[in-house]
Amino acid sequence: TSYWCDGQPDCDSGADEHYCAVQCGSNDFACAETGRCLRNSVGVCDGADDCLDGSDEALCPAPSYTSCPPSLYDCQTDEDLEERCVPSNSSLGCSGMCTNDRDVLRCAEVGNICSTNNGGCAHVCTPRNDGTRKCSCNHGYMLGS
């Protein structure tokens, strides 16, 4: 029995199904280089390389989202999201990549939250990434009830 081009990947890499001449149906997506068909176009533009040659993702529109993904910092400008969402060094931003300098200004603001009147803390003031601060006791002290 031949396992080559039988429609079932038998090799761990799926190499036995690469470059097989396959007729795709009218609702199927024909992969450019591997000859695979994605039945009913399932897997096209989903972010995964289902064709193993990238063709099912190559002509997809840019992702449409209304807010920045968690891994990016939102500069909160009127620009397109691709321009508005920039890589960050923390949840504050701090990358210096916002065209409005919002990330740099936010870092300075949060860094100084504890510098005025110790942030209102009696002992230790620690700035948090969300712009708030955490008050805690000096070593050896405990919060009273």
Side-chain angles (χ1 to χ4, degrees), residues 109-119 121 125-127 133-134:
E109 174 188 318
V110 171
N112 291 331
I113 195 168
C114 292
S115 64
T116 303
N117 195 28
N118 199 36
C121 299
C125 179
T126 306
R133 51 102 176 103
K134 176 185 176 193

Side-chain angles (χ1 to χ4, degrees), residues 10-135:
D10 300 296
C11 299
D12 288 339
S13 67
D16 60 308
E17 297 303 315
H18 293 192
Y19 310 105
C20 300
V22 178
Q23 283 287 10
C24 295
S26 60
N27 293 330
D28 299 340
F29 179 83
C31 300
E33 294 178 23
T34 60
R36 299 179 85 187
C37 292
L38 300 182
R39 301 288 176 219
N40 297 315
S41 297
V42 172
V44 175
C45 295
D46 65 353
D49 183 7
D50 301 291
C51 283
L52 305 177
D53 63 10
S55 62
D56 59 310
E57 303 300 318
L59 300 175
C60 300
S64 59
Y65 43 85
T66 56
S67 62
C68 295
S71 61
L72 299 177
Y73 180 73
D74 188 345
C75 294
Q76 296 185 0
T77 63
D78 291 334
E79 299 169 290
D80 292 338
L81 278 176
E82 286 86 15
E83 301 294 322
R84 196 175 101 192
C85 303
V86 299
S88 66
N89 296 332
S90 71
S91 62
L92 294 177
C94 305
S95 64
M97 295 180 68
C98 290
T99 57
N100 61 359
D101 291 331
R102 183 177 187 277
D103 53 339
V104 174
L105 296 171
R106 179 75 173 135
C107 286
E109 174 188 318
V110 171
N112 291 331
I113 195 168
C114 292
S115 64
T116 303
N117 195 28
N118 199 36
C121 299
H123 289 250
V124 179
C125 179
T126 306
R128 292 182 172 163
N129 286 343
D130 64 0
T132 63
R133 51 102 176 103
K134 176 185 176 193
C135 294

